[in-house]
Amino acid sequence: MEKQSLVEVVRQLRKEIQEEGQALYASWEPQTIREDFRSSAKNLAAYAVMRRRDLRELQDRLDRLGYQGFRGIEANVLAGLDHLVQVIQGEPVGNEEARWAEMDQAKARTFQVFGLEAGKRAQNLVTLPTEAGRDPHYVNDLSQAGMDLARINCAHDQAKTWQAMAKNIQAAGKAKGRQHPIYCDLAGPKVRIEALYTEQQNPRVFTADTFFISHVKPLEDFQDQNLVLYTPQQDLIQSLEVGDPVVMYDGDLLAHVTSQHEEGVVVEVDRVRKTKGQKIKATKGMNFPGRDSQLPILTPADCQAMEAVKDFTRGYNFSFVRQVEDIVAIKAQLAEVYGEDTSQHPPFFIKIETQSILENLFQVLVEANRNHYAGLMIARGDLAAELGFLRLASVQEDLVAIARAARIPVIWATQVMENMVKTGIPTRAEMADVMLAGRCDLVMLNKGGHIQEGIQLLNQVLDQSRYYMPTSPSPLRPLDLDPDKKDATSF
């Protein structure tokens, strides 16, 4: 009796998901979506409407009878539900091998565009320091250590250094008999400290300290604050209200606005992670959760960087994407640099860093892949600053599952094995984090003095991860990307 009841529930669920999914897919103007992404877009639509439901109680019923249920069906939602009905009823299962073979072929084509190896364990993406442009032996050591792909952060160094890095990467790959695809990170409209005013030699702030954020230049001791940070984003700073959170150093400094003034705002520090205080430096970023700046998605420096790297980069990582209009602007710049023929445009990753993109995520992913190839990067530094650490823990799981539903590559990024790369000694938490990261397609390492050892250890853990971790977290609760549930002022 229980089995028959479950069959009826799952069949009704499939019917609803198919109908609602078709309506959502139709709203995405599917006739303009590139042909080899349409089946993925249909599946993404089905997944989106499935995640409107709370499936936990139903999964519990399936668990009690020994059925896998909804786990692992992200990549093919409707077929997964059909399979579940067949299994519950004890019917012969359809040609599963043929169904998965078709999907694997599509994945292989997509991964080839990105320079990835479909079916291989998660690959590493190694951030290159300035030294990689000066010393060919340094890059050769990275290649020997097991580097897969290389990342050049165009927020640092200059075009001459980037080009030297690329030359050294290509030479190292040739010597090893393999390629190391290069992805270039563009800084985007990040709000940064462009100058500071202080009487301190090396300014540090502690809990309960105050400082001033100004949009006015030249600087002075506004409101009698002896630490003043300058950013030119006048509209953003003037939009801040008393109580608004301010987050810096990827969440290591949490603060809030205490008063508004013509020149800017006074900010009080709520917490700093380090007992010795947080050192404040120019060029560092600031986050104002819920107060997205409406700056253009590509700065003049970003456009210049694209011209400088276009001859060697495999693709791009675009920062602080917030909405569909940002994707349109990105594609316009790609056309400016590479010509109107979209088949000649490189693939790119969308860095998930803001609350705004979570609110628009499905539409953004479809628009990005309409006539291009686009994946997503879970950029946990700025994302944690926007959402708070508590929400980040669940949202990163949702993002992995959504990428699987869209059948696009996903990068796990920010502070991966940071202690290991900097000191040569990993923490237990870092090792657990990497094991989770193995569900993704790329895992990003930042630079550090022990990067070679870091690459080797990362690869060892990723090899093991395949035997322990499912390819998707398969969340069962309703998708919750609610912008009102922020936790930006707590660890």
Side-chain angles (χ1 to χ4, degrees):
M1 190 70 178
E2 171 71 353
K3 287 187 178 182
Q4 186 56 41
S5 172
L6 282 172
V7 167
E8 293 172 0
V9 170
V10 175
R11 279 180 170 165
Q12 178 62 28
L13 178 64
R14 188 204 187 282
K15 179 176 182 293
E16 294 172 3
I17 290 174
Q18 182 178 28
E19 291 174 353
E20 294 174 27
Q22 286 176 340
L24 180 58
Y25 176 69
S27 73
W28 291 340
E29 300 180 9
Q31 67 278 7
T32 64
I33 296 175
R34 60 181 168 88
E35 187 174 353
D36 64 343
F37 186 70
R38 289 177 187 172
S39 65
S40 298
K42 289 178 182 177
N43 186 69
L44 182 62
Y47 183 71
V49 300
M50 184 178 79
R51 289 298 305 277
R52 295 171 182 169
R53 295 158 168 81
D54 190 336
L55 301 174
R56 288 172 288 189
E57 183 178 345
L58 180 54
Q59 181 64 54
D60 286 343
R61 294 173 63 188
L62 293 165
D63 284 340
R64 286 194 290 271
L65 295 176
Y67 300 124
Q68 183 174 349
F70 303 101
R71 298 189 179 94
I73 72 170
E74 290 83 6
N76 207 335
V77 173
L78 295 179
L81 294 172
D82 289 337
H83 175 84
L84 178 56
V85 169
Q86 290 175 324
V87 170
I88 295 173
Q89 294 188 135
E91 298 176 354
V93 176
N95 191 347
E96 292 291 295
E97 185 175 344
R99 174 168 65 87
W100 286 104
E102 180 182 350
M103 287 181 56
D104 287 343
Q105 289 171 2
K107 181 178 179 179
R109 287 194 301 270
T110 297
F111 276 45
Q112 185 177 16
V113 171
F114 281 89
L116 301 171
E117 296 181 37
K120 185 181 178 181
R121 59 112 171 103
Q123 294 172 260
N124 60 66
L125 174 65
V126 179
T127 303
L128 300 179
T130 304
E131 185 179 358
R134 296 194 301 256
D135 185 359
H137 298 292
Y138 179 88
V139 179
N140 189 62
D141 288 344
L142 295 181
S143 180
Q144 292 294 333
M147 177 177 70
D148 293 318
L149 291 83
R151 170 180 177 254
I152 295 176
N153 188 350
C154 294
H156 304 290
D157 302 309
Q158 301 297 326
K160 185 177 179 180
T161 303
W162 306 332
Q163 290 158 359
M165 288 178 180
K167 182 179 178 181
N168 291 338
I169 293 166
Q170 291 161 355
K174 186 176 181 180
K176 200 170 185 294
R178 62 166 300 184
Q179 290 185 338
H180 298 295
I182 299 169
Y183 275 80
C184 289
D185 238 57
L186 300 179
K190 188 176 181 70
V191 180
R192 295 184 183 275
I193 304 169
E194 296 201 3
L196 57 85
Y197 169 92
T198 182
E199 297 176 356
Q200 304 174 47
Q201 186 68 30
N202 292 298
R204 291 179 183 273
V205 296
F206 297 81
T207 300
D209 283 352
T210 59
F211 58 90
F212 197 87
I213 301 177
S214 175
H215 57 80
V216 173
K217 203 173 182 181
L219 295 175
E220 56 183 81
D221 55 345
F222 296 118
Q223 301 301 312
D224 295 324
Q225 297 295 320
N226 63 8
L227 175 60
V228 179
L229 312 182
Y230 166 73
T231 179
Q233 312 307 330
Q234 180 176 354
D235 290 344
L236 173 62
I237 300 304
Q238 288 185 332
S239 74
L240 297 176
E241 298 178 358
V242 173
D244 279 354
V246 179
V247 184
M248 299 171 61
Y249 295 91
D250 289 344
D252 283 355
L253 186 157
L254 305 177
H256 69 281
V257 175
T258 59
S259 60
Q260 300 167 292
H261 305 275
E262 183 178 349
E263 304 89 352
V265 293
V266 175
V267 172
E268 180 177 340
V269 178
D270 298 312
R271 292 190 225 176
V272 293
R273 186 180 298 279
K274 301 174 182 176
T275 56
K276 61 181 180 181
Q278 178 62 58
K279 190 173 182 179
I280 305 297
K281 297 180 180 179
T283 76
K284 296 298 182 180
M286 297 185 286
N287 295 82
F288 304 90
R291 296 282 181 182
D292 278 354
S293 67
Q294 293 303 309
L295 297 171
I297 188 62
L298 295 173
T299 67
D302 293 331
C303 297
Q304 292 169 9
M306 290 178 71
E307 290 286 352
V309 305
K310 67 178 181 180
D311 292 334
F312 61 77
T313 190
R314 184 65 178 250
Y316 296 94
N317 305 320
F318 289 108
S319 302
F320 298 101
V321 176
R322 301 152 299 199
Q323 55 203 354
V324 168
E325 289 78 7
D326 292 339
I327 298 297
V328 173
I330 286 169
K331 290 182 176 182
Q333 185 59 29
L334 288 171
E336 182 73 22
V337 175
Y338 293 93
E340 295 294 334
D341 183 359
T342 57
S343 67
Q344 301 303 308
H345 293 185
F348 58 88
F349 286 93
I350 301 164
K351 295 174 70 173
I352 310 298
E353 299 175 282
T354 68
Q355 175 64 54
S356 296
I357 194 171
L358 295 180
E359 298 166 40
N360 303 299
L361 185 57
F362 292 104
Q363 295 92 328
V364 166
L365 290 179
V366 171
E367 186 59 40
N369 282 282
R370 190 174 297 278
N371 48 12
H372 292 72
Y373 286 84
L376 66 84
M377 177 192 289
I378 309 173
R380 299 180 297 167
D382 283 292
L383 189 59
E386 283 271 323
L387 305 183
F389 291 101
L390 178 60
R391 285 202 65 219
L392 173 69
S394 59
V395 168
Q396 69 182 13
E397 299 297 290
D398 287 324
L399 292 173
V400 175
I402 290 169
R404 288 284 169 257
R407 304 168 186 169
I408 58 176
V410 56
I411 302 174
W412 187 274
T414 311
Q415 293 183 321
V416 175
M417 291 175 58
E418 182 177 42
N419 200 67
M420 171 67 199
V421 170
K422 289 183 176 180
T423 70
I425 303 174
T427 66
R428 289 180 288 275
E430 286 176 343
M431 302 305 287
D433 184 55
V434 171
M435 187 65 82
L436 284 173
R439 298 167 300 170
C440 296
D441 305 297
L442 282 166
V443 181
M444 193 181 90
L445 285 178
N446 267 318
K447 48 199 173 186
H450 297 268
I451 186 65
Q452 288 92 348
E453 303 100 299
I455 292 171
Q456 292 170 341
L457 182 57
L458 173 63
N459 287 345
Q460 290 173 333
V461 179
L462 293 178
D463 282 335
Q464 293 182 27
S465 178
R466 291 182 296 170
Y467 304 109
Y468 289 93
M469 301 303 299
T471 57
S472 173
S474 303
L476 299 170
R477 57 166 178 71
L479 186 63
D480 180 14
L481 302 178
D482 187 347
D484 293 328
K485 293 189 177 180
K486 292 188 284 289
D487 180 44
T489 57
S490 68
F491 288 117

